[in-house]
Amino acid sequence: MKSFNSWATAAALLVLALMAIKSTVMIYQNNGQPEIPNTWEGNVFHGAQVYFDQGITSNSGLPIYPMDHDTPIQKLRETRVYTHFLPGDSYLIWAMSLMTRSTEVVFKYGRFVPLILTLFLMWIFSQTSTELLFPRWRWAQPAFLAVMAIAPNFYKWSISLSGVGFSSVCVMLAMLLPIRFKYSPKILLAAFVLGFVSMYLLMTQIFVLCFAPIIAWLLSPQKEKFQNTFKISIAIGLGITTAYILHFFQVASFLESWALAWQDQMGTFFARGDSRQGISRLELIAQYSGHVRSFFRVSVLQMLITGLPLIALTPELKSRRLQLLGALLLSTLACYIFPTLMRHTALMHWHVFPHIFMMLYAVWVFVILNFISQKWMRRHS
């Protein structure tokens, strides 16, 4: 049995090594530079450069992005101070630039920070989840990693120093909290900090993050009390809310007006919720199903069409099948909330936002592996 486990572990490590090599090649192919100066990442780096030149407290800690801002507030349009997505990624690049004394070094070598974090969490997450879900199938971890490795999403976004680069890390941490660690006040504090940091890094994943512990609870056959898992989700939500309140204070401080801050934030929220292209939310849901395919090689519709029958055909107790069904449907819902709320932003950034469907993709992979493992155990029992 030891030899069997060792070979499976070696296979899992080999997959991770290949993922690291491919990502490293992509970093050096692009010479560590954003592909287009005015991309999302280019804006984030520009904001960090302003912090580096003028200090982190300039503009009440808000970044300056080199683009025209969609806001009703004239002062923001004139100064190009950005107030909509929180500036945690610019803070991070600024801090790394202080340590290296150069933003150019961060351009090239800083990308290894999100990559190493993602690979490390991928290992911990895959090991923990597969041991819980498939305790008798030792090849589950390399199988899970191999399917994750074929998704282009990993290679494109795990080397980004924008908040997207840390998205998978945050989601995996949220899913690990209820299944790897014993519930305690420290876990609630960790969940609160995770929500706060995640909100400052990237707003698009906030709903996915809140649902992640519950989805992990549904997937796991060895259950923590649901009340405890729900408290973890609430703690993440409180962290997210606290981060936004702090950001609102920053906006009000810069504008020197609570009323203008409210007008900017709420006016922008409702403006970005409107599609402006005449596309309904149902049409957006269908469009995003296709966009997801370019990130994960499979669309949302294809995941549901294949996942639902596999759950029904899995030779397990009805209660277990219902849990897997709940995890698949709830992860679909969680991934769609932000794009459907923010239709205009989702349509503008269709080449970025589908990264949040990583959780749905992971759940879908677990459904497939669960079906295979149940068939394998029946044959070898």
Side-chain angles (χ1 to χ4, degrees):
M1 182 63 72
K2 272 189 176 181
S3 174
F4 181 65
N5 292 345
S6 297
W7 279 109
T9 301
L13 288 171
L14 176 61
V15 174
L16 274 187
L18 292 174
M19 294 169 77
I21 291 170
K22 182 172 180 179
S23 299
T24 302
V25 169
M26 290 182 68
I27 291 174
Y28 283 99
Q29 275 183 341
N30 199 32
N31 198 29
Q33 301 290 331
E35 293 179 6
I36 306 171
N38 197 32
T39 59
W40 192 328
E41 189 179 72
N43 290 330
V44 169
F45 268 105
H46 186 275
Q49 183 66 54
V50 174
Y51 291 145
F52 188 72
D53 295 336
Q54 301 179 10
I56 190 69
T57 57
S58 62
N59 306 310
S60 299
L62 298 171
I64 293 177
Y65 288 171
M67 64 179 191
D68 295 328
H69 294 337
D70 184 14
T71 173
I73 308 303
Q74 184 177 353
K75 183 178 179 179
L76 295 177
R77 293 197 301 269
E78 291 174 350
T79 60
R80 293 192 170 184
V81 169
Y82 188 77
T83 62
H84 301 152
F85 280 78
L86 281 63
D89 38 14
S90 288
Y91 290 166
L92 180 62
I93 297 169
W94 164 78
M96 294 170 66
S97 300
L98 287 182
M99 290 186 286
T100 60
R101 299 183 180 180
S102 169
T103 53
E104 293 180 6
V105 174
V106 178
F107 266 117
K108 191 166 187 178
Y109 299 107
R111 299 177 189 280
F112 286 102
V113 173
L115 175 60
I116 291 170
L117 283 174
T118 303
L119 289 170
F120 175 73
L121 263 298
M122 188 76 76
W123 174 264
I124 299 297
F125 176 71
S126 63
Q127 185 181 60
T128 301
S129 56
T130 54
E131 283 178 357
L132 282 173
L133 270 66
F134 320 112
R136 294 172 56 190
W137 188 33
R138 298 306 179 193
W139 291 94
Q141 185 185 12
F144 173 78
L145 289 172
V147 181
M148 296 299 289
I150 64 175
N153 174 74
F154 175 85
Y155 305 101
K156 184 170 185 180
W157 296 115
S158 63
I159 60 174
S160 173
L161 274 169
S162 68
V164 185
F166 300 90
S167 173
S168 297
V169 170
C170 293
V171 172
M172 286 187 286
L173 281 171
M175 294 185 77
L176 281 170
L177 286 176
I179 63 174
R180 185 176 177 87
F181 304 102
K182 187 176 180 180
Y183 177 81
S184 70
K186 290 182 179 179
I187 292 299
L188 290 180
L189 177 60
F192 177 87
V193 172
L194 175 61
F196 184 93
V197 171
S198 177
M199 179 64 170
Y200 254 90
L201 284 171
L202 189 67
M203 190 187 296
T204 57
Q205 65 186 9
I206 56 175
F207 297 105
V208 170
L209 211 67
C210 288
F211 280 100
I214 296 172
I215 290 166
W217 182 88
L218 287 169
L219 287 172
S220 175
Q222 300 176 21
K223 305 246 181 249
E224 175 68 75
K225 291 181 179 178
F226 178 75
Q227 294 93 324
N228 293 341
T229 300
F230 186 70
K231 288 176 184 177
I232 292 172
S233 289
I234 293 297
I236 291 174
L238 288 174
I240 290 169
T241 303
T242 304
Y244 180 75
I245 291 172
L246 179 58
H247 175 67
F248 187 85
F249 284 172
Q250 288 180 278
V251 178
S253 173
F254 176 74
L255 294 175
E256 300 178 324
S257 168
W258 294 104
L260 288 178
W262 179 263
Q263 184 181 348
D264 169 60
Q265 296 292 291
M266 292 300 103
T268 302
F269 171 78
F270 287 112
R272 294 194 173 192
D274 183 11
S275 76
R276 305 187 205 179
Q277 287 95 338
I279 294 177
S280 69
R281 285 185 167 82
L282 284 177
E283 289 172 321
L284 184 141
I285 288 171
Q287 278 194 18
Y288 255 67
S289 176
H291 294 326
V292 167
R293 186 188 297 113
S294 64
F295 280 63
F296 300 101
R297 300 192 188 280
V298 59
S299 69
V300 174
L301 182 60
Q302 289 168 336
M303 283 189 259
L304 292 176
I305 287 175
T306 54
L308 294 174
L310 286 179
I311 292 171
L313 294 171
T314 299
E316 288 186 291
L317 295 174
K318 182 180 178 180
S319 59
R320 180 63 183 146
R321 292 200 300 271
L322 288 175
Q323 290 165 7
L324 292 173
L325 176 64
L328 185 66
L329 296 180
L330 192 59
S331 58
T332 305
L333 171 66
C335 292
Y336 265 121
I337 293 176
F338 192 90
T340 52
L341 277 178
M342 308 294 285
R343 277 185 295 172
H344 176 65
T345 306
L347 290 168
M348 283 179 60
H349 299 293
W350 63 267
H351 58 294
V352 179
F353 278 19
H355 74 89
I356 63 177
F357 285 79
M358 188 278 288
M359 184 170 69
L360 172 60
Y361 181 69
V363 171
W364 178 69
V365 174
F366 282 133
V367 167
I368 294 173
L369 294 182
N370 186 68
F371 178 80
I372 295 172
S373 70
Q374 291 298 318
K375 292 292 186 181
W376 181 86
M377 283 192 295
R378 287 216 163 190
R379 286 186 180 181
H380 294 82
S381 60

